[in-house]
Amino acid sequence: MNARIFFWSLTSALAGFLFGFDTVVISGAEKTIQSLWALSPGLHGIAMASALYGTVVGSLIGGWPADRFGRKATLLWIGVLYFLGAVGSALAPNVTIFIISRVIGGLGIGISTVVAPMYISEIAPPKNRGRLAGMFQFNIVFGILIAFVSNALLAGIGDDAWRWMLGVAAFPSLLYAVFCFGLPESPRWLISRKGDRGTALQVLQRARPESPPDEIVAEADAIAMASAHEPSGHFWTRRLRKPILLAILIAFFNQLSGINAILYFAPRIFELTGLAAKAALLQSIGIGLTNLIFTFVGLWLIDRLGRRTLLYIGSFGYILSLGLVAWAFFTEHFSIVPVCIFAFIAAHAIGQGAVIWVFISEIFPNRHRAEGQALGSFTHWIFAALLTTFFPKMVTVFPPGYVFSFFAGMMVLQLIWVKTIVPETKGVALEEIQKQLGVG
């Protein structure tokens, strides 16, 4: 694998580290915030989900700056939004400022889920595209683990521990923004959107220094040819119905597994089984570590077994682990819940976690990739926001066994969807995928 492409991909994927850290760090502060400002259950849910609502907006609008100003400039501004969100959340004097700051950070998260995997998929060679684009997910998981560890380390430093938990994200945010200055622009954006073939050829040559000039020219010709034959004009057309449906459904099923509810409320879920608060927080670190290890496995397999096979593996793992958690709550066999939750996280890391951002970034044509990525990200985050907002109420109104049974049932539907609809995109050039989906 070319070292330069790896570095560019890693830099872009670091947006995922900030995403993972910012998303989950709130789990260590949520109870303190509720008591500090005497929040009602409803307002507490809004405060907890505020970053997600910013993420929904960011994912909805993220395709516009990526197409208008380029992938590189948009990635840089993601770092700025993360920085502002971290500082504002840590210094918030009241819940209103806290919610606004979390929304700002959420905007960065939403835009990053559109632009970072898309940028990587546009610069990566087909044989390594899954692994390189999957680094975005790996960094999300790494950020989640570091957030859990950071929360555990900072939990005992005093009444303002929650402010430090949220504020430390400012340092990696600033570092990431600096790294983005060294990125080149996407050659596919340069050709399909800006019409700058000369700069695109320079980027392609830097990315593939071992390739002779005629191969670089042929690649640029293929990109230009595919762009010329793409559907122009509106995104919502019949020709794009297949990738649109695939993007919506993979994002829908991702969240209806319950993954964000478990990540956000892990300590509270473990406390429902009788674990003490400190033990529950340490179990949360186990979730982060399990997620990291099995994300490695998913990234190792994604270009070997393919996207569809990993979704199969993940679906069976989801159904088994969630079904056992539901059974444990119904029968009060609470001792198996932590093990089953870890198995659920492993299934997610190998399946949906490794695949979702790679798959969405592959299935749309160059001219509409930013809009398609925005659609998939928006679907993902609107369901994440709704689930996070209502999960505390769900486990209050319904026994936990029914909640986890619902998640398991949704994963049965995902298995049927994978079997009947999902195509394989492993090792196929982006321009060829659009032909297979009837877009080219």
Side-chain angles (χ1 to χ4, degrees):
M1 187 185 301
N2 181 277
R4 186 173 281 140
I5 289 181
F6 178 81
F7 178 75
W8 294 342
S9 300
L10 179 60
T11 299
S12 179
L14 286 175
F17 174 86
L18 301 173
F19 160 9
F21 189 97
D22 188 80
T23 299
V24 174
V25 73
I26 191 68
S27 67
E30 58 111 351
K31 286 193 170 182
T32 304
I33 290 168
Q34 185 175 21
S35 60
L36 176 67
W37 290 317
L39 304 180
S40 66
L43 185 55
H44 180 51
I46 292 172
M48 281 292 292
S50 54
L52 285 174
Y53 289 112
T55 301
V56 169
V57 176
S59 64
L60 187 61
I61 67 173
W64 179 78
D67 275 342
R68 177 68 177 82
F69 304 108
R71 292 19 172 173
K72 176 181 176 179
T74 307
L75 288 169
L76 173 61
W77 277 99
I78 287 169
V80 175
L81 290 171
Y82 278 132
F83 178 81
L84 294 175
V87 172
S89 300
L91 300 178
N94 54 57
V95 69
T96 302
I97 301 300
F98 177 82
I99 290 173
I100 292 171
S101 299
R102 292 288 291 167
V103 168
I104 291 172
L107 287 171
I109 295 174
I111 298 172
S112 76
T113 59
V114 175
V115 185
M118 176 175 62
Y119 174 81
I120 298 171
S121 73
E122 290 184 342
I123 64 169
K127 66 178 181 178
N128 301 126
R129 190 175 58 239
R131 206 174 313 162
L132 290 172
M135 285 199 302
F136 180 72
Q137 176 66 18
F138 169 78
N139 276 278
I140 294 172
V141 171
F142 186 50
I144 289 171
L145 174 61
I146 296 301
F148 280 137
V149 172
S150 175
N151 285 353
L153 293 175
L154 295 171
I157 67 172
D159 293 339
D160 287 333
W162 70 273
R163 296 187 183 274
W164 285 101
M165 289 178 183
L166 298 171
V168 293
F171 300 104
S173 299
L174 191 61
L175 190 63
Y176 164 73
V178 172
F179 282 170
C180 283
F181 282 105
L183 293 175
E185 187 50 84
S186 160
R188 285 180 166 83
W189 180 81
L190 289 168
I191 291 174
S192 65
R193 283 286 177 179
K194 198 176 181 183
D196 188 350
R197 180 184 173 90
T199 305
L201 286 169
Q202 293 175 14
V203 175
L204 289 170
Q205 189 66 70
R206 290 175 64 194
R208 327 244 200 282
E210 73 287 351
S211 299
D214 59 333
E215 287 188 12
I216 299 298
V217 170
E219 184 173 355
D221 289 341
I223 295 170
M225 180 69 71
S227 299
H229 287 83
E230 289 171 11
S232 58
H234 297 296
F235 175 74
W236 296 98
T237 61
R238 183 172 178 80
R239 288 185 68 188
L240 289 173
R241 67 189 184 280
K242 287 185 180 178
I244 285 173
L245 183 62
L246 289 168
I248 290 174
L249 288 177
I250 194 171
F252 170 81
F253 285 123
N254 182 285
Q255 283 305 300
L256 267 294
S257 69
I259 181 63
N260 263 43
I262 290 172
L263 291 177
Y264 269 55
F265 297 99
R268 186 167 295 209
I269 292 170
F270 287 133
E271 285 180 35
L272 288 172
T273 69
L275 287 172
K278 185 66 176 179
L281 194 59
L282 291 175
Q283 292 278 16
S284 299
I285 296 176
I287 284 180
L289 189 58
T290 301
N291 208 354
L292 184 70
I293 292 171
F294 283 92
T295 296
F296 266 123
V297 176
L299 294 186
W300 185 76
L301 293 173
I302 192 168
D303 284 324
R304 291 174 170 85
L305 299 183
R307 292 50 157 159
R308 193 166 184 258
T309 302
L310 293 192
L311 288 175
Y312 266 126
I313 294 171
S315 296
F316 285 113
Y318 278 141
I319 294 165
L320 181 61
S321 58
L322 289 169
L324 285 173
V325 171
W327 174 82
F329 275 110
F330 282 132
T331 61
E332 298 186 357
H333 287 77
F334 296 134
S335 60
I336 73 165
V337 170
V339 175
C340 293
I341 292 292
F342 293 157
F344 166 82
I345 294 296
H348 177 80
I350 291 177
Q352 273 269 13
V355 172
I356 179 171
W357 305 116
V358 176
F359 187 73
I360 296 173
S361 71
E362 292 175 326
I363 57 178
F364 288 94
N366 293 326
R367 191 177 296 275
H368 293 288
R369 184 166 294 114
E371 295 166 289
Q373 192 82 27
L375 172 65
S377 297
F378 172 76
T379 305
H380 175 280
W381 289 116
I382 193 66
F383 281 101
L386 292 171
L387 191 63
T388 305
T389 300
F390 292 110
F391 184 77
K393 190 71 172 177
M394 289 168 65
V395 293
T396 302
V397 174
F398 302 102
Y402 285 109
V403 176
F404 285 98
S405 294
F406 169 75
F407 293 147
M410 295 307 300
M411 293 303 94
V412 173
L413 294 181
Q414 174 178 278
L415 180 61
I416 296 170
W417 169 70
V418 173
K419 172 68 175 175
T420 57
I421 297 176
V422 175
E424 183 54 75
T425 58
K426 178 188 72 170
V428 184
L430 296 178
E431 289 70 31
E432 288 298 318
I433 292 173
Q434 71 183 61
K435 290 181 182 179
Q436 293 178 8
L437 294 175
V439 178

